[in-house]
Amino acid sequence: MKRVINFSAGPAAIPLEVLEQARDEMVDWNGTGCSVMEVSHRGKEYDALHHETMDLFRELAGMGSEWKVLFTTGGASTQFLMFPMNMLGAGRSADYINTGNWSKAAIKEAKRFGNITMPANMELEGGIFRSIPKQADLKFNPAAAYVHYTSNNTIFGTQWHYVPDAKGKPLVSDMSSDIFSRPLDFSGHSMIYAGAQKNLGPSGVTVVAIKESFLAKAESDLPTMMSYKVFADKDSMFNTPPCFSIYILNLVMKWLKKNGGLEGMGKVNNAKQTTLYGAIDGSKGYYTCPVDRDARSWMNVVFRLPSVDLEEKFIKDAKVAGIVQVKGYRTVGGIRFSTYNASGLKDIQTAVGFMDDFQKKNPA
Ligand SMILES: *Cc1c(COP(=O)(O)O)cnc(C)c1O
């Protein structure tokens, strides 16, 4: 067996232990004589797994019983429309902070439901993003029903390193690409959501955590599968949930717990980002990171080489060295290492060794 160092931005690496357990249980899960994909979602075995996963999520996040965890499908992209559909009545306003392509995608959908204002817009000429606004620069709309932000910009490699203060308004965050990567005070939020395929497991399930008090404000008269209230009332089992994805999510939650929870992840991820940015900054300008220092993402480390030719060679040579999926986003170019929870410090040290070696062999 040969496992590579996988820096994919998503779907991303999953802890090897989780994959091995899933393999071992594939044909006979939990003594059922079936795989988890072949049992009724109304049966007691699956039901226990389903609720345990919700509880594990709340436990890891430090969320009390005032939070409801929902499992939806259609990715974070469906939350871009489902959320305003539930929470933004016609004619009302909402604040969306624009820090990247995914913020823009959320804004585009929300505009179908109400008037969207931007407390800050970090887009530069050419559709580039390099920074995160400071609290003092956020100009909130007093009429906004809520404030939405994207905690990590997967594409350009910027990340919020503080929780914005929404000045009493419900704060909502798309945390798809940095959820559970370090300790975070979730209590300042009214709702968070994340597609699982970056830091939580496989694609197919999206986790929505919403405070009961906020949920109470959700629109009631909606198409059934678009209604947060239905998802909450039916424990996300109005229809057949993505059972296999939730099963892997369950195993990842247990792996997280075993590895020190968010505290443990934060320590490793901090060591990883220090090592990686240290190598970039220590390369005498061979590797350059286009992102503002205080906005550098711990999860998506984006950098350039002296030329596009060298970048292409870097991607090819990295693959030969067993380091894959390092190409920057198609409209951005350059290199991107997506270093979510499943990549360990050792992987980063190996990658940094490769970077040093590449620089020596390929002078600018
Ligand atoms: C990947 C990503 C999305 C899109 O997720 P899907 O599950 O593919 O819809 C949304 N927001 C952020 C921050 C992402 O990284």
Side-chain angles (χ1 to χ4, degrees), residues 54 75 90 120 130 158 263 290 294 302 306:
M54 290 172 168
R130 214 176 273 150
T158 59
E263 202 83 40
D294 61 0
V302 170

Side-chain angles (χ1 to χ4, degrees), residues 3 13 19 58 81 142 149 151 156 175 242 254 257 328:
R3 289 280 291 174
L19 297 176
R58 278 214 313 270
L81 71 99
Y149 76 107
S151 57
F156 284 91
M175 298 193 169
K254 286 176 182 159
K257 214 175 138 176

Side-chain angles (χ1 to χ4, degrees), residues 96-134:
Y96 279 69
I97 305 172
N98 184 16
T99 55
N101 302 36
W102 292 118
S103 306
K104 272 164 68 177
I107 290 166
K108 181 175 173 225
E109 296 305 311
K111 278 184 171 166
R112 301 176 198 277
F113 300 94
N115 171 44
I116 303 306
T117 42
M118 283 191 258
N121 180 2
M122 308 318 282
E123 186 166 4
L124 303 171
E125 213 176 306
I128 288 168
F129 293 87
R130 214 176 273 150
S131 48
I132 294 293
K134 307 235 177 323

Side-chain angles (χ1 to χ4, degrees), residues 278-349:
I280 292 167
D281 294 339
S283 71
K284 302 202 165 66
Y286 188 81
Y287 298 111
T288 51
C289 174
V291 169
D292 283 2
R293 232 161 222 285
D294 61 0
R296 287 174 165 184
S297 170
W298 290 19
M299 297 280 99
N300 308 97
V301 177
V302 170
F303 57 94
R304 306 295 312 224
L305 273 73
S307 71
V308 172
D309 286 349
L310 280 172
E311 286 170 351
E312 278 169 11
K313 187 164 196 301
F314 183 96
I315 294 162
K316 275 200 198 109
D317 289 6
K319 191 166 180 195
V320 174
I323 304 169
V324 306
Q325 311 208 60
V326 304
K327 196 175 157 69
Y329 190 75
R330 60 185 190 277
T331 58
V332 177
I335 309 296
R336 173 175 54 175
F337 287 178
S338 296
T339 60
Y340 303 118
N341 287 347
S343 73
L345 180 57
K346 231 179 102 221
D347 293 343
I348 303 302
Q349 287 160 342

